[in-house]
Amino acid sequence: MKLCRTCKSERLYVFLELGDHPLANGFLRADQLDEPELRFPLDVHACLDCGLIQVADHVPAGYFRHYVYVPSASEVMHDHFRGLADRLAPLALASPDALTIDIGCNDGLFLGALQERGGRTLGIDPATNIVELARARGVEVVNEYLTPELGASIRDTHGPASVVVTTNTFHHVDDLDAFMEAVGALLADDGVFVVEVPHALEIVEQNEFDGVYHEHVSQLTVKSFVDLFRRFGMAVTAIERLDVHGGSLRVFAQGEDQARPPGDVEAWVEEERRRGLFEAATYDAFRERVGRLREELVSLLGDLRASGARLAGYGASARGNTLLNYYGIGPDLLDFVADRNELKQGLYTPGTHLPVVAPERILEERPDHLLVIAWNFADEIIRQQHAYRAAGGSFILPLPEVRVANPEGT
Ligand code: ZN
């Protein structure tokens, strides 16, 4: 019997079956295109007690050792991590030896910003290739999967942490119990744990089925945080709403004996209940909307293509690969996918085999329409593409509703 990863309930409701998908970050080299691709079913269920959305099918962790997402490719994420460093500075710089640990530090963008402000930092990240980018930024990184044993040994060598941060990582973790044990080992008794993740409420209400892929094993609600932390002697002390990644939560937690009164946490949980996150009907309606959006977008692209229009995509994101694979959008509809991330350029999208190219190609080839696959960064992408825009190019946004935008023409 499968249990909810956070609250351990058995009331799991399977509401979305997206079919067999390759790993969303499994971009391919040209010489791999003829080889069979590993595919895993992508079935999604919701916990009717805490609202956690989780992927039913587990992929062994070793597949994720080489990672191609780097936030520094995005200006929005630069601003975001500078903002986080400012927000946490009063905690992280409280004393000269205060240590801040970032679990899943990726390319070190946040810790680099904190170091510039005088903070003492340590990163932990299992992705070997990305860790080199963090080290090049001057950030010390332990290149391992976080386990309770590693947490204890880091505490021995570096001392307890005043702040433990994990951004855009928590929903990747299969064994949250082991992760929380490790956080407990790292954190000082009065330390603060800060987590940023997409909010399951946004995912449901903004039709963000594309946020579901094998690396994103959970999508959390406030209720799921409260229930999980309680099992580890911690309490949620504050919650902030963020705009990144299509709507995220920043959750602060401390040991229960340290915690201040819970403030508005109960109000968040009540809001989640009011908006139906603990009811099966909400997820049935979500499945129907996702099916309708798929039909709308695929027929729009098909009609444009049939009329002779040239189409390309923007944003070779992991979540975009859920959308491309579930919708079946491949080279028959799009000529290429542009992306600023040089690690992805020259590769092909998993499953759909679209070539990933540098954004300069957009002006060279002038497609009539650009499908903004990374629609959660649409504002930034449309702003950057001013020359394409000025030349009359149009943008198609797939979610939260299908929308055609030509900012110059309208
Ligand atoms: Zn649950």
Side-chain angles (χ1 to χ4, degrees), residues 8-332:
K8 301 296 177 192
S9 165
E10 294 180 358
R11 297 178 60 223
L12 303 180
Y13 183 63
V14 177
F15 68 99
L16 197 59
E17 289 159 319
L18 293 171
D20 290 344
H21 285 235
L23 294 181
N25 275 307
F27 289 87
L28 303 165
R29 296 186 310 268
D31 63 294
Q32 294 173 311
L33 290 177
D34 294 331
E35 294 170 15
E37 269 178 282
L38 225 45
R39 284 175 180 267
F40 301 88
L42 198 49
D43 298 334
V44 192
H45 50 218
C47 172
L48 298 181
D49 281 316
C50 77
L52 183 85
I53 294 173
Q54 51 186 355
V55 173
D57 312 284
H58 177 62
V59 177
Y63 285 111
F64 303 133
R65 195 90 183 173
H66 189 88
Y67 203 51
V68 288
Y69 169 72
V70 280
S72 59
S74 159
E75 287 165 20
V76 170
M77 296 313 291
H78 273 270
D79 290 346
H80 175 74
F81 284 122
R82 275 194 291 267
L84 179 61
D86 288 335
R87 174 70 182 82
L88 298 184
L91 299 167
L93 309 179
S95 72
D97 60 344
L99 173 67
T100 298
I101 294 178
D102 185 357
I103 305 169
C105 68
N106 201 284
D107 62 352
L109 206 50
F110 163 64
L111 290 181
L114 197 60
Q115 283 184 185
E116 282 169 20
R117 288 156 180 74
R120 188 178 152 235
T121 75
L122 178 71
I124 304 172
D125 201 303
T128 311
N129 59 324
I130 301 287
V131 159
E132 292 311 316
L133 301 175
R135 287 176 176 152
R137 225 182 268 280
V139 172
E140 182 187 351
V141 186
V142 177
N143 184 202
E144 294 291 342
Y145 272 103
L146 179 64
T147 60
E149 296 71 34
L150 181 68
S153 102
I154 289 175
R155 188 191 181 101
D156 286 344
T157 52
H158 290 72
S162 304
V163 184
V164 173
V165 179
T166 187
T167 62
N168 204 29
T169 297
F170 209 66
H171 55 312
H172 293 244
V173 177
D174 182 43
D175 187 348
L176 282 176
D177 286 13
F179 193 90
M180 288 304 298
E181 245 181 81
V183 169
L186 291 169
L187 207 57
D189 291 347
D190 60 349
V192 178
F193 182 37
V194 183
V195 186
E196 288 186 6
V197 282
H199 188 190
L201 179 69
E202 303 284 343
I203 286 167
V204 171
E205 295 194 346
Q206 301 298 313
N207 306 326
E208 296 180 30
F209 78 92
D210 62 336
V212 172
Y213 48 94
H214 293 108
E215 285 97 325
H216 284 181
V217 291
S218 332
Q219 306 290 350
L220 290 106
T221 57
V222 172
K223 177 83 160 64
S224 60
F225 274 112
V226 169
D227 290 351
L228 172 68
F229 289 170
R230 185 183 295 129
R231 292 197 292 109
F232 290 88
M234 294 187 79
V236 177
T237 56
I239 297 161
E240 295 169 3
R241 194 194 171 282
L242 308 169
D243 286 332
V244 292
H245 300 299
S248 295
L249 293 172
R250 178 182 289 158
V251 178
F252 293 77
Q254 277 188 287
E256 269 168 340
D257 50 337
Q258 302 285 329
R260 296 180 299 274
D264 60 354
V265 176
E266 267 312 305
W268 274 86
V269 173
E270 270 320 299
E271 183 68 10
E272 289 177 343
R273 187 181 310 283
R274 201 179 61 75
R275 285 155 89 163
L277 285 190
F278 315 135
E279 291 167 31
T282 302
Y283 299 97
D284 291 336
F286 176 83
R287 178 181 52 236
E288 280 168 28
R289 290 198 302 277
V290 167
R292 169 179 61 78
L293 289 166
R294 168 159 114 167
E295 275 174 35
E296 272 181 38
L297 185 71
V298 171
S299 67
L300 172 66
L301 297 180
D303 290 350
L304 288 169
R305 194 67 155 182
S307 72
R310 289 183 316 128
L311 311 173
Y314 195 106
S317 59
R319 61 189 297 157
N321 286 327
T322 296
L323 186 141
L324 294 173
N325 278 297
Y326 180 53
Y327 284 9
I329 297 173
D332 52 328

